[in-house]
Amino acid sequence: MVLSVALHLLIVVFALAGWSWTNPVQEPEPRSISARLISPEPKPSPVVDDQDQRRKDQERRELEEKQRQQAEAERKREQEAEARRQAEEKVKEQARQQEQERKRQEAQARELAEKQAREKEAARKKAEAEAKERERQKAEQERQRQEVAKRKAAEEKRRQEEQRRKEEAERQRKEEEARREAERKRQEAERRLREQQLDALADQALKAQEAEARERREAEAARAREAQMLSESEKYQALIRERLSQAWYPPSSATENMTARLQITLLPTGELASVTLVGSSGNTAFDNSALGAVRSLNRYPVPDSRDTFERYFRQFTIEFNPQRLR
């Protein structure tokens, strides 16, 4: 911009200078210089001729022309200086106006930037307010949902509790009816027994002996059955321990002091229903190896007798130890 201003200034100076040279302004005649010699005028020599007078006149005119030209040159220099001054003033004015325009544009730009910043800040605050409102609404909806869920859970719990109370009342009612029926039957049996005793006193001793003998036989049969069931259970327990011992691979970190107690639940078919760790060895790998061994058997050897199965194999506990399986 400074270079442009300087170029314009030079163009204006040259234009004014050229115009002043080609179209000179009509200036007043230069002032002549008059001088007076104080000393007494010399008297003309009678020997001075006309040629000498003409020479002096020529010299005077040349001096006057030279003075006029110098005055003209000085005037032109003053005009050029004035033109340069005016051009410089014009350039300075243009520069001042340009500077004012630049400052005005900068002020407008700052004002626009501040306005945009205010609008942006307002938009940001509005977005934050909207986001907070959405979060508040979301939190309110979540709170309402949780309250509804709590009410439903409480209602379901109350319903289940009511159902349990009804079932418990129904069970107690049935038990009471069964007890009363049993009591009635017992009383009826006692009544009949008394009648039979009254009607057949003679047969009482014989029936008592037969009953005692029958009880002895039943007791003996029960003891024999119990012994048979125990023997059969020991056989199948040994088979189960053998199968588990074959399927069990203790980890390398196992020690003789580690023991894991597992509760096993079987189906009558010998299939595994569930297994639960009821006593940890303190070593997770050891416990997991025992659980894996129990789960690895597709079918367990169980007795055909339902009574023996229900008493000894429906649910039982077994201990895993590197030295033994119990």
Side-chain angles (χ1 to χ4, degrees), residues 54 57 63 72-73 161 184 192 203 236 253 320-321:
R54 284 193 300 273
D57 292 339
L63 179 59
E72 181 67 20
E161 184 66 20
R184 186 188 65 79
R192 290 178 180 179
D203 297 335
Y236 282 97
S253 60
F320 281 79
N321 183 272

Side-chain angles (χ1 to χ4, degrees), residues 81-98:
E82 180 64 19
R84 285 195 300 271
R85 187 188 64 77
Q86 291 179 358
E88 290 175 356
E89 289 293 331
K90 186 175 181 180
V91 169
K92 289 180 180 179
E93 180 63 21
Q94 290 178 352
R96 186 185 62 78
Q97 292 178 357
Q98 290 177 356

